[in-house]
Amino acid sequence: MRPARTLAAALAEGVVVLDGGLSNQLQAQGCDLSDDLWSARLLADGPRQIEAAHAAYVRAGAQVLITSSYQATFEGFARRGVAREEAAGLLARSVELARSAGESVQREVWVAASVGPYGAMLADGSEYRGRYGLSVRELERFHRPRIEALVAAGPDVLALETVPDTDEAEALLRAVDGCGVPVWLSYSITGKRTRAGQELAAAFALAAGRDQVVAVGVNCCEPGDAGPAVELAASVTGKPVVVYPNSGERWDADEREWRGGATYDLGRVPDWLASGARLVGGCCRVGPGQIAELTATLEGGGHPECGGRTGG
């Protein structure tokens, strides 16, 4: 159902469970994502598949659904001959599909409209490097129209996610300023630095003192890197921390495949919570099974700070 509280209010009361990777669930449903638009292609070609993927996470206990707009941009759609008005409609559809899935249960489900980095539009792996050679102003101009289209669709929050460097974070924060929708800011990191190599303390500090930012943290990173980042994000900003790492497998951008084994371990969660994490889930290759286990761990694992769930 539609939430009665803001996400900020829910985070003040306890831990909120995020969903997992949308693309891996779509692949599990038999969808072919070998396309520059990735899961965003299905906004036009298979919207019911996207809604079904969201619904799988709702059944697993997710309280926040991240939309399929991560790689959905006016520029990317234009390369496929999609007119601007139609592209705006597809961006709105990403919010509508998540909302529909969330309204299938009698508990609060928030919709987070994904605003992926500039590099996601390029579809060449550059979102894992950052430093695109664009100025903050140029990046702001790129992001603003998509943000405006998503805001018009009525999400509960904007997920400024997988941000690889501080220039893009600054551009995104400028682009959302005054839009009327709260945001979270989540960096993609390696070790104790952004993917572009900047110190995380300075990166997190960009969100400090901004009331519009309801959570700050990391995603699309190694599970082992998440713990120190959670602690740092909390200490620098004083805000609730969002954390949703990958499975631990590594994406080979050249071969376009995942390598290695999974290291997503729910045994890390108590440490994340103790350090300030309040919005917890998974990113690439973390599926409904792991989110169901996370939900069960939080509800039955002796974490009284996990609250706000009503039925299901």
Side-chain angles (χ1 to χ4, degrees):
M1 68 181 187
R2 285 181 179 261
R5 301 170 294 170
T6 65
L7 182 59
L11 293 174
E13 295 175 16
V15 180
V16 176
V17 179
L18 272 169
D19 58 8
L22 183 64
S23 62
N24 43 268
Q25 178 56 25
L26 289 169
Q27 289 174 320
Q29 293 169 195
C31 299
D32 179 6
L33 303 183
S34 57
D35 184 281
D36 284 352
L37 287 175
W38 204 30
S39 56
R41 177 182 62 79
L42 297 177
L43 287 168
D45 297 346
R48 298 281 76 84
Q49 290 281 11
I50 292 175
E51 186 173 354
H54 287 315
Y57 283 112
V58 171
R59 290 193 298 272
Q63 296 166 276
V64 178
L65 299 175
I66 302 175
T67 66
S68 53
S69 52
Y70 172 83
Q71 206 149 328
T73 64
F74 287 106
E75 292 80 359
F77 285 132
R79 290 199 295 264
R80 298 299 181 85
V82 177
R84 196 169 186 83
E85 184 176 352
E86 183 181 355
L90 294 175
L91 286 162
R93 181 178 290 173
S94 72
V95 175
E96 294 161 3
L97 292 170
R99 184 72 73 192
S100 178
E103 289 179 344
S104 67
V105 293
Q106 294 303 307
R107 57 176 167 80
E108 292 178 304
V109 179
W110 289 267
V111 172
S114 174
V115 182
Y118 176 83
M121 180 271 295
L122 300 178
D124 61 358
S126 60
E127 72 264 40
Y128 297 111
R129 300 187 298 271
R131 299 296 178 92
Y132 315 112
L134 299 179
S135 68
V136 171
R137 187 178 296 275
E138 288 171 322
L139 288 168
E140 180 185 356
R141 282 200 298 267
F142 165 77
H143 284 294
R144 188 179 295 277
R146 176 171 53 151
I147 286 168
E148 291 173 347
L150 290 169
V151 166
D156 301 301
V157 63
L158 296 175
L160 313 180
E161 59 175 353
T162 324
V163 180
D165 66 48
T166 54
D167 280 355
E168 187 150 33
E170 184 178 350
L172 285 162
L173 291 170
R174 287 185 185 182
V176 301
D177 187 37
C179 75
V181 176
V183 308
W184 80 62
L185 174 64
S186 181
Y187 288 95
S188 178
I189 65 170
T190 299
K192 297 181 179 180
R193 294 180 177 272
T194 68
R195 293 279 189 166
Q198 298 117 342
E199 290 281 353
L200 271 183
F204 291 140
L206 291 176
R210 293 178 182 263
D211 292 341
Q212 187 179 10
V213 180
V214 298
V216 62
V218 295
N219 76 289
C220 205
C221 62
E222 293 281 342
D225 289 341
V230 168
E231 185 173 2
L232 186 61
S235 66
V236 169
T237 68
K239 293 180 179 290
V241 178
V242 56
V243 55
Y244 49 120
N246 292 336
S247 67
E249 297 160 275
R250 296 176 181 273
W251 175 248
D252 185 327
D254 294 327
E255 298 297 326
R256 299 185 66 82
E257 65 181 18
W258 292 94
R259 298 182 181 276
T263 59
Y264 187 90
D265 180 5
L266 294 179
R268 304 179 193 270
V269 173
D271 288 339
W272 296 349
L273 300 183
S275 296
R278 291 296 177 267
L279 190 54
V280 182
C283 200
C284 299
R285 306 285 283 183
V286 176
Q290 288 101 324
I291 297 304
E293 292 175 8
L294 172 62
T295 301
T297 297
L298 293 172
E299 291 183 336
H303 300 293
E305 70 271 30
C306 179
R309 296 176 58 76
T310 55

